[in-house]
Amino acid sequence: MLPRAACPAEGRRAAASGRSRSRPRGGGGGTVLLPSMLMFGVILASSGLLLMIEKGILAEVKPPPLHPAAGEPARRGGGAEAAGDLEYEVLRDVRNRTIGAVCGQRAMPRSVWELPAGQRRTVLRHLLVSDKYRFLYCYVPKVACSNWKRILKVLDGALESVDVKGKMDHKSDLVFLGDMKPDEISYRLKHYYKFIFVRNPMERLLSAYRNKFGEIKEYQQKYGVEIVRRYRRNGGNSAGDDVTFSEFLRYLLDEEVERMNEHWMPIYNLCQPCAVRYDFIGSYERLSTDANYVLERIRSPSFIRFPERQPWYKPVTPETLHYYLCSAQRRLIKELLPKYILDFSLFAYPLPNITSEFCRQ
């Protein structure tokens, strides 16, 4: 029997929505300054971010590779060397300090119950539950979430192996925190191990663009047709399979963050790292190493390993990202940054280098 916890009334409704333009609400109120825009303004004022974007300085700062911290359980497949431990400690310290500074702002939520109803629904809908192993995993589309869902199904006995072939069912045989009662939600948020995996925001957007508009007919018809009709002259005859990357970026600029499809919604809005205190933040760039660490940490059976990348998967290489970013309109990328600035800053990813000098290479 889980202890019951009172569900606090909805408090502050000022979690970041990341809209590119803030608009007045109501007749007497002024412009609403949303926290993501507030933090973007703070960063601009304090560190000259705009100038650094222009000169490509931040893009030259590469995040150190991720490895387990010293003193933590050894991961499957071998331990990390001392240099790797130090690099990880630096990255973890940067992330912790940034998250602490951003989430310490008065306007930021400190629990899921302080989120507006829509934002709370989103994060609770993305938190997967394992009661047997007592953990919560916030899944982020385009950050290996299909493989993590396979692992959850194997842990629960719904799948025999992570290597089972076939189309992944993203709903069945999974337990979502949002389907539970408030007291059950509060108990698990307080007592379970919580983790999330993140990815370079621009790389994640490009991965979603290539996959959904290049391969998935459902997305081509639902989103592609409308995008082409909206942003291309005489685009009414498009089947939605020829959306350009610049057209996709224009669509993201005009789309309200909270109404975005989960495949391109910012990680901040999907998983609310201020309202949920994650015990571990893994990175796509060190997916296998970090995944093995989590499997060790949750004490999963030794026969369970993180799945290998599917042979049909087309990775986003640095060269591919360079090509798409430099082929797109620079103005679109700069205007889009405020919507994803918390993903860049909280998780210590470099801003995209779109200088003329870099793009000529």
Side-chain angles (χ1 to χ4, degrees):
M1 185 77 176
L2 298 177
R4 297 192 64 83
C7 175
E10 285 189 15
R12 296 181 291 272
R13 302 180 61 88
S17 75
R19 296 179 188 173
S20 57
R21 303 173 185 84
S22 50
R23 295 181 174 87
R25 293 180 182 269
T31 300
V32 176
L33 184 61
L34 300 169
S36 62
M37 297 303 295
L38 170 64
M39 287 311 304
F40 185 62
V42 169
I43 295 171
L44 278 176
S46 63
S47 64
L49 180 61
L50 192 57
L51 179 62
M52 297 174 85
I53 295 172
E54 286 288 346
K55 295 185 176 298
I57 295 173
L58 285 183
E60 296 172 3
V61 181
K62 292 181 169 54
L66 294 178
H67 294 285
E72 293 186 338
R75 305 180 191 188
R76 301 167 203 206
E81 298 182 3
D85 289 343
L86 179 59
E87 290 171 341
Y88 173 77
E89 289 288 354
V90 171
L91 177 59
R92 187 172 68 169
D93 185 61
V94 170
R95 282 179 172 170
N96 288 342
R97 287 175 180 271
T98 307
I99 290 174
V102 173
C103 297
Q105 299 293 315
R106 268 184 86 180
M108 304 304 274
R110 285 161 174 75
S111 82
V112 296
W113 306 115
E114 295 182 6
L115 295 170
Q119 294 179 17
R120 183 168 61 248
R121 262 194 313 272
T122 295
V123 64
L124 294 180
R125 201 166 56 223
H126 284 82
L127 281 164
L128 296 172
V129 182
S130 172
D131 283 326
K132 183 176 181 180
Y133 292 90
R134 295 177 65 85
F135 71 79
L136 301 177
Y137 159 59
C138 186
Y139 79 87
V140 178
K142 310 312 297 179
V143 191
C145 72
S146 295
N147 282 339
W148 274 113
K149 289 176 180 178
R150 288 179 186 274
I151 286 178
L152 264 80
K153 291 187 179 190
V154 173
L155 289 174
D156 196 45
L159 272 184
E160 292 183 4
S161 165
V162 295
D163 297 320
V164 172
K165 304 299 181 183
K167 185 176 175 61
M168 177 67 185
D169 188 326
H170 290 269
K171 298 298 181 183
S172 68
D173 299 316
L174 293 169
V175 180
F176 296 85
L177 193 61
D179 292 334
M180 296 184 172
K181 298 175 182 178
D183 60 314
E184 296 172 333
I185 292 172
S186 295
Y187 178 84
R188 286 162 176 80
L189 284 170
K190 181 178 180 180
H191 295 286
Y192 282 18
Y193 182 75
K194 299 172 287 294
F195 67 94
I196 179 180
F197 274 74
V198 299
R199 185 179 187 179
N200 181 298
M202 291 308 299
E203 184 180 307
R204 177 173 168 251
L205 288 180
L206 179 56
S207 178
Y209 162 77
R210 295 173 74 201
N211 173 240
K212 300 308 174 187
F213 299 110
E215 302 172 9
I216 312 298
K217 193 169 184 178
E218 176 188 351
Y219 277 76
Q220 294 168 358
Q221 294 175 342
K222 183 176 181 179
Y223 296 99
V225 171
E226 173 60 22
I227 290 174
V228 172
R229 186 197 63 78
R230 189 186 301 182
Y231 300 110
R232 187 185 306 171
R233 184 175 298 177
N234 301 322
N237 295 325
S238 171
D241 58 353
D242 59 344
V243 177
T244 68
F245 190 55
S246 287
E247 289 169 341
F248 178 57
L249 296 180
R250 290 182 66 185
Y251 167 73
L252 294 178
L253 268 174
D254 290 339
E255 191 76 352
E256 291 190 8
V257 168
E258 291 177 25
R259 295 186 178 184
M260 283 183 175
N261 179 277
E262 63 177 8
H263 289 85
W264 42 81
M265 181 181 284
I267 297 174
Y268 178 89
N269 296 81
L270 289 173
C271 294
Q272 297 288 345
C274 289
V276 179
R277 296 179 62 88
Y278 292 98
D279 299 290
F280 182 76
I281 299 175
S283 294
Y284 186 81
E285 295 74 26
R286 287 292 184 270
L287 180 59
S288 178
T289 307
D290 282 356
N292 285 331
Y293 168 74
V294 171
L295 291 174
E296 190 78 26
R297 178 61 178 75
I298 64 174
R299 293 179 170 82
S300 70
S302 59
F303 69 87
I304 294 181
R305 56 175 176 74
F306 198 76
E308 297 291 332
R309 181 176 287 170
Q310 298 292 338
W312 47 261
Y313 178 73
K314 298 177 182 177
V316 176
T317 64
E319 293 76 20
T320 306
L321 184 61
H322 176 277
Y323 170 79
Y324 276 93
L325 289 179
C326 291
S327 299
Q329 298 176 38
R330 191 178 307 177
R331 172 187 61 82
L332 295 177
I333 296 174
K334 288 182 178 180
E335 291 181 1
L336 190 61
L337 284 179
K339 282 191 173 181
Y340 294 88
I341 195 63
L342 287 180
D343 286 2
F344 282 106
S345 60
L346 291 183
F347 307 126
Y349 282 108
L351 292 167
N353 191 339
I354 51 174
T355 60
S356 299
E357 179 183 357
F358 179 75
C359 288
R360 279 196 299 267
Q361 297 176 6

